[in-house]
């Protein structure tokens, strides 16, 4: 009887310890993520510059280069305004761009919204230094695109 009682007490004690330690571990791991987060200026410096991409429109794959620079007048803490050019061998997907990167530092999320001078809109979410599953809107046929650093 005493062996059963001590085994039950041991199990109860282990359960209690697990309940006490779990919230501590959850809080301490989230603190480490925020400590290693990039500052807004570091993040902004990674977003401007040259990107390489590939678009899929009407079952045609179109490789392209995207060159972006900051547009200060439209920038805020949550939004980096950009201007630049999208260059490809296909004149249908080529021209000047303007738009912004939406920056959500708390959730480590960066979105992209660019408009080509002919009205096409490129939308997507960055994961690190790549963007996959981007959408091209305002075209007769929907398209997709991806981006990465060269």
């Amino acid at each position: 009887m005493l062996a059963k009682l001590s085994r039950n007490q041991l199990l109860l004690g282990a359960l209690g310890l697990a309940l006490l330690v779990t919230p501590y571990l959850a809080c301490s791991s989230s603190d480490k993520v925020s400590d290693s987060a990039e500052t807004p200026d570091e993040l902004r410096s990674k977003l401007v510059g040259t990107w390489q991409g590939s678009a899929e429109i009407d079952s045609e794959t179109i490789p392209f280069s995207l060159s972006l620079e900051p547009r200060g007048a439209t920038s805020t803490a949550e939004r980096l305004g950009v201007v630049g050019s999208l260059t490809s061998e296909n004149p249908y997907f080529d021209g000047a761009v303007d738009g912004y990167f939406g920056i959500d530092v708390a959730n480590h999320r960066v979105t992209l919204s660019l408009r080509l001078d002919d009205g096409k809109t490129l939308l997507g979410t960055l994961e690190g230094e790549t963007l996959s599953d981007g959408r091209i809107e305002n075209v007769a046929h929907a398209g997709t695109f991806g981006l990465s650093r060269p």
Side-chain angles (χ1 to χ4, degrees), residues 1-134:
M1 190 68 134
L2 186 58
K4 286 184 181 179
L5 185 59
S6 64
R7 176 184 283 164
N8 289 342
Q9 287 177 339
L10 190 59
L11 288 173
L12 206 60
L15 178 63
L17 183 61
L19 290 173
L20 287 173
V21 170
T22 301
Y24 171 75
L25 291 175
C27 291
S28 66
S29 66
S30 67
D31 290 343
K32 289 179 183 176
V33 169
S34 64
D35 288 343
S36 65
E38 296 172 320
T39 67
D41 287 337
E42 290 171 331
L43 186 57
R44 282 179 168 78
S45 70
K46 287 185 175 184
L47 298 176
V48 296
T50 302
W51 295 83
Q52 298 297 316
S54 179
E56 187 79 29
I57 301 174
D58 291 335
S59 300
E60 179 186 356
T61 300
I62 305 168
F64 66 90
S65 177
L66 180 65
S67 179
L68 298 172
E69 56 187 61
R71 187 171 72 181
T74 61
S75 295
T76 65
E78 297 84 27
R79 187 178 247 190
L80 173 62
V82 291
V83 295
S85 61
L86 188 149
T87 308
S88 78
E89 293 181 9
N90 186 327
Y92 179 75
F93 199 64
D94 193 82
V97 294
D98 67 77
Y100 64 90
F101 285 100
I103 302 170
D104 182 352
V105 175
N107 293 313
H108 307 287
R109 182 175 175 191
V110 177
T111 57
L112 172 67
S113 177
L114 289 178
R115 190 178 65 77
L116 276 158
D117 54 2
D118 67 357
K120 291 180 196 76
T121 304
L122 286 70
L123 304 168
T125 302
L126 287 168
E127 294 179 19
E129 291 193 359
T130 62
L131 184 150
S132 55
D133 299 326

